[in-house]
Each structure stands twice: as C-alpha cells, then as structure tokens.
Amino acid sequence: MSFTKTPGWLDWYDSPTKPRFKLPSGSVDAHCHVFGPADEFPYAPQRKYTPCDASKDQLFALRDHLGFDRNVIVQATCHGSDNSALIEACRSAGKRARGVATVHADITDDELHTLHIAGVRGVRFNFVKRLVDITPKDELLTIAARIAPLGWHVVIYFEAPDLPELWDFFGAIPTPLVIDHMGRPDVTKPIDGPEFELFLRFMHEHDTVWSKVSCPERLSHTGPPALHGEQAAYWDVVPFARKVVESFPNRVLWGTDWPHPNLKKHMPDDGLLVDFIPHIAVNAELQQRLLVDNPMRLYWPEERIPI
Ligand code: 0GY
C-alpha cells in the first residue's frame, strides 16, 4: 500500500553524530517508536498524520550507534490499535526490547497474552487532541482493570494545561503510571510557577507515578545549537528536567523519541540528544538510575536490579 506523507513532514535524521557522553553499560532508550514500513504494516485509517517509514532495523541500528543496550518501543498513534509493527519489533529484538501498546477495552485475554509474550508491559492512554480522538474515561478504566493483573502499567500523554481536569481520573487508575515528557510543560513559564508546581505535586502525592524526562527538542523554544550559538542544545528545558530527575531519582526514565513524529521546525541529531543527558542527570549515580536501574525495574523486573 502506498501512503503520502503529511505535508511538511520532517524525516528522521539519518546520520546522527556519535555522542560525546558515554552511556552507562546496559542503558535503555525508554521512549521510541517504529513506523511501518507501510507496505508491511499499513498506517491506521483513523491516523492524524502519515509519517515516513522508520523500521525496527533502523531503530536497532540507532540503538547500537548511540550506545544503548535496549529499547522500550511505544505504539505510535499513526498505527492506531494495530500493534503488529510493535510486536514484530519486540519479537525480533528478543529480550532487548519491551513494548507499550494501544488496546481497546474489548481485547480478548488471548490477545493480551500474545502481547505479553511478545514483550508488551504497558498500554498508552493519549489525551493530546491533535493525535487522537479521545477515548472515554470509563473505557480507559476498563482497559486499566484488564491489564493490571498482568503487572503492566499505563503510559499517559497529556499537555500541562490539562492536568487539573485529569488529576482525579489519573488517581483512579489502579496501575503505576508513566507520564510522557514531564506532562509537556511550557518552558517559557517559570519553573516555580503554578503549572509545573502542579506536575511536581502530582508526582509527590502519587508514589507509583513515573516521568519520562524526554523530548527537550519538542519542549524547547531556544532550540538546538544551530539556533542558539554556543549554548547547550535545548538549554531552556534543562532546569525542568533536572528538577524532576533530582526530585524523583528512582522514578524517571529517558528516551530519544526517535523517529520524532510531528516536529515542525527541525529534526534533532540523536547524538546531541544523548549529550543533553549529563545536563539533567549531573552525576554517575543519577545517570545509572535514569538510564539503567529505573527502566530495568519497570520493564525487566525479572532481572531484579536492586536499588
Ligand atoms: C511522541 C510524541 C508525539 C506523537 C506520538 O504516538 C504518537 O503519534 O507519540 C507528538 O506528536 O507529540 O512521544 O512521540
């Protein structure tokens, strides 16, 4: 099947630099996606964007180039609830990938079992209106109740202004929660302003809530070095991510977000994204937790990394 990319679509950057920061042994890229390839895994009819292909083999080549050991692959909205590309990627990575799927409430026990065997350990609930038609909350609670006995968790993607309305609903989900990209703060607002304070309070009050401190390229207004001279890439995001890492060192994850869907201005060099890590996790202890111990505890608990 042939698909035409969304007008203005930016393709992922195919010659990333080698990072200067040396990742700790066993590091996990805990937020990335596969797209298609569309002739094998067609994009969903209800998708809100049509991307370029980004195959599992291309993802695994990036993993090796950057120095990661494992991936957590998150179902992208362009594939709807057809998790075939994700399953195929997890299966072919063996124990080196886990998955986060999108499912409906009427999924059968056999289908859930198949996902579990393939390596899926969570489902994603998306509240970003430009990406999905929002699923009713009672259906999401039904899904959460179905996956809880499997020991899975729920990954939630929302934007900062929506947290007050979602607060009680998130509190009613009976599994651990993993928040994508720090709940998408507006980094032009003060770090001690009410919006980011609310996010931090949500994490303080719920000790089974985790956050990905990912996507500086999505949150930044200062941009990469080409846009901002000698400053560190995406420096306006640093205080926000560093605050989360230092407040919740055992409940943070990091991911590249490759192949970076829906970026409008620039496509990041994934090597530079890795070089962002030591600005937000400023010593070896924090880096080890962020990149190895935390994702291992959540996605590979059978390997029992002590904290
Ligand atoms: C991300 C962010 C985005 C897209 C998706 O599944 C997706 O389509 O997650 C976005 O456009 O903000 O985390 O990859």
Side-chain angles (χ1 to χ4, degrees):
M1 205 180 300
S2 97
F3 290 87
T4 304
K5 288 186 281 187
T6 298
W9 185 264
L10 296 182
D11 292 358
W12 47 276
Y13 186 68
D14 71 356
S15 43
T17 49
K18 200 85 180 158
R20 276 181 289 179
F21 173 60
K22 190 172 172 332
L23 291 162
S25 162
S27 286
V28 180
D29 175 354
H31 186 91
C32 50
H33 309 284
V34 288
F35 297 155
D39 53 5
E40 206 180 335
F41 303 108
Y43 299 119
Q46 73 274 24
R47 70 192 179 280
K48 305 282 188 197
Y49 62 85
T50 307
C52 61
D53 286 342
S55 73
K56 63 181 168 62
D57 293 327
Q58 290 162 327
L59 173 64
F60 301 151
L62 179 75
R63 173 197 68 197
D64 296 344
H65 173 80
L66 297 176
F68 285 100
D69 196 44
R70 308 184 190 213
N71 295 107
V72 179
I73 307 171
V74 177
Q75 172 75 350
T77 57
C78 57
H79 280 296
S81 59
D82 177 353
N83 296 290
S84 314
L86 170 79
I87 291 173
E88 175 55 23
C90 288
R91 278 195 185 131
S92 63
K95 289 194 114 192
R96 298 182 67 187
R98 293 293 195 226
V100 174
T102 297
V103 305
H104 292 300
D106 61 0
I107 189 169
T108 66
D109 287 343
D110 280 353
E111 287 166 333
L112 281 177
H113 182 70
T114 302
L115 289 173
H116 191 87
I117 296 298
V120 170
R121 295 294 180 268
V123 294
R124 193 181 197 202
F125 293 172
N126 201 319
F127 301 90
V128 179
K129 296 170 197 75
R130 70 182 161 78
L131 289 174
V132 287
D133 297 325
I134 309 295
T135 306
K137 293 193 177 92
D138 54 346
E139 188 178 337
L140 294 176
L141 286 176
T142 304
I143 295 169
R146 298 284 313 283
I147 59 116
L150 295 165
W152 293 10
H153 59 268
V154 174
V155 172
I156 47 180
Y157 191 22
F158 62 93
E159 292 173 322
D162 296 326
L163 180 56
E165 190 270 316
L166 291 165
W167 182 289
D168 290 342
F169 170 68
F170 289 158
I173 296 175
T175 68
L177 298 179
V178 177
I179 299 175
D180 278 340
H181 321 328
M182 301 182 282
R184 293 202 56 132
D186 178 346
V187 300
T188 65
K189 291 186 178 167
I191 188 165
D192 56 357
E195 210 166 76
F196 199 59
E197 284 288 325
L198 190 74
F199 170 78
L200 296 172
R201 186 151 71 81
F202 185 71
M203 290 207 56
H204 273 297
E205 289 185 12
H206 300 86
D207 61 8
T208 57
V209 174
W210 302 51
S211 177
K212 294 176 196 166
V213 287
S214 42
C215 275
E217 75 288 1
R218 222 174 256 293
L219 302 174
S220 179
H221 289 252
T222 53
L227 296 182
H228 213 84
E230 291 302 303
Q231 286 274 23
Y234 315 118
W235 62 268
D236 53 343
V237 185
V238 168
F240 290 81
R242 186 170 169 182
K243 175 82 181 168
V244 180
V245 169
E246 291 178 1
S247 303
F248 310 101
N250 294 329
R251 294 191 270 140
V252 283
L253 303 168
W254 193 87
T256 56
D257 195 30
W258 187 90
H260 310 289
N262 299 313
L263 290 182
K264 302 287 182 235
K265 291 198 185 125
H266 79 289
M267 185 49 56
D269 170 345
D270 294 278
L272 278 186
L273 285 179
V274 171
D275 283 334
F276 181 78
I277 295 172
H279 295 282
I280 63 168
V282 298
N283 60 44
E285 168 73 25
L286 291 171
Q287 292 160 6
Q288 174 72 19
R289 293 189 200 193
L290 175 67
L291 296 161
V292 185
D293 298 352
N294 297 345
M296 290 302 292
R297 223 163 66 246
L298 194 59
Y299 288 97
W300 287 269
E302 67 283 7
E303 296 190 25
R304 288 191 185 283
I305 303 280
I307 53 167

